[in-house]
Amino acid sequence: MTLSPVDPLVSLRPEALAAPPSGIVEVMNYGRTREGMIPLWAGEGDLPTPAFVCEAAARSLAAGETFYTWQRGIPDLRAALAAYHGRLYGGSFSPERFFVTASGMQAIQIALTALAGQGDEVIVPTPAWPNFAAAAGLRGAKVVEVAMTFGNAGWVLDVEQLAAAVTPATKVIFLNSPCNPTGWTATRDELAAILDLARRHGLWIVADEVYGRFVWDGSARAPSFHDVAGPDDRVVFVNTFSKNWAMTGWRIGWIEAPPALGDVLENLIQYSTSGVAVFVQRAAVAALEQGEDFLAFQIERIRESRNILIDTLAATGRVRLSAPVGAFYLFFGVEGWSETARLGLTLVDEANVGLAPGTAFGPAGEGFLRLCFARGPASITEAAGRLAEWLLRPVGA
């Protein structure tokens, strides 16, 4: 007897089947081969990794550092991370607080694997980068979205609404500040209030402060949970080398956590990647120790692009926007368009500019588009000009 074919998807875990497709990738795939396309859909700049970082990796390879290594990260990198945090936030940081991961995304995955699972709830303010919620969902946790509101003051998070979302099943509050995609940046008082909420309910905070160096009010950095939390508070920081030092393709990040979590986090790294390649870690050390001038150059370059973009689009009178306080995204709405998934594809066809639809960042992003302005002023001037020209076309033209 011949058995009838069985759909192989039937036997997969429901969490894997439920993982949503990326609305960002949909637009990228639609437009990536267009000639002359200005791709502003992904969260990365247009500068290659600086030479001093690449040279550190090359020296490591030449020295034969191609073997298995420390699961938590090589001692030199963990010491460099501790020193970097001391310079940035003040005080003394122990290398024992730091764990090297194969990207910021893996840092998120490992943190959530340790902290939340089947039957647990993870609170996420939205609009938010979709990978947060997806990582929690893949672990069987339920994501509870708390929608931020957009008005004359820009994007606002209601901490009382955040508190109202806490239930006996809540285990984690996931906070990204400065925020991808909105540019919202928590104040010190807001961070203190969220930390107080977490303390009262015995919750963990996963703090994504990836964009903490990209702030536009003249500050050296954004407010941080480091400013309000003690060393033993239930705060796990996730971060990456991708943004500050133009290392998106290197796939290296880090977790900072209370040392008591050390053995658990080491095991989770062991059971996923068994550690990050040593030559990549040597490059990361160079970024931390030599990268401030490059980062300062990036910030000023992006600041100029931000100002050009906002001035150009605001002058059309056809957009709803608030100047982002931090990160390097503009999250804006277009008058007359509510279905931004379709609008993203339309702009590929008619303006040759690639943007991410707001719906990719949760229901609270409906009606908005995300534009990454981490590019040179000339490129952003061209992109803003194309968008302005499209916005000012007569309806139906």
Side-chain angles (χ1 to χ4, degrees), residues 59-98:
R59 287 194 298 271
S60 176
L61 284 168
E65 292 187 314
T66 56
F67 296 92
Y68 291 135
T69 187
W70 302 78
Q71 305 302 294
R72 301 188 187 199
I74 60 173
D76 286 356
L77 180 51
R78 298 176 73 208
L81 283 164
Y84 171 77
H85 282 70
R87 294 192 299 271
L88 194 58
Y89 302 109
S92 177
F93 287 75
S94 168
E96 294 304 307
R97 293 185 61 86
F98 296 95

Side-chain angles (χ1 to χ4, degrees), residues 148 153-157 175-191 194 208-209 211-217 219 221-225 227 306 322-329:
M148 301 177 72
W155 290 91
V156 176
L157 174 64
L175 194 77
N176 171 220
S177 174
C179 175
N180 171 10
T182 63
W184 169 80
T185 301
T187 65
R188 181 187 175 110
D189 287 346
E190 287 172 325
L191 295 174
I194 295 167
D208 180 340
E209 299 185 353
Y211 300 97
R213 302 297 299 276
F214 296 93
V215 287
W216 312 115
D217 62 359
S219 303
R221 62 170 177 82
S224 166
F225 277 109
D227 299 323
R306 169 187 177 271
S322 175
V325 178
F328 43 60
Y329 306 101

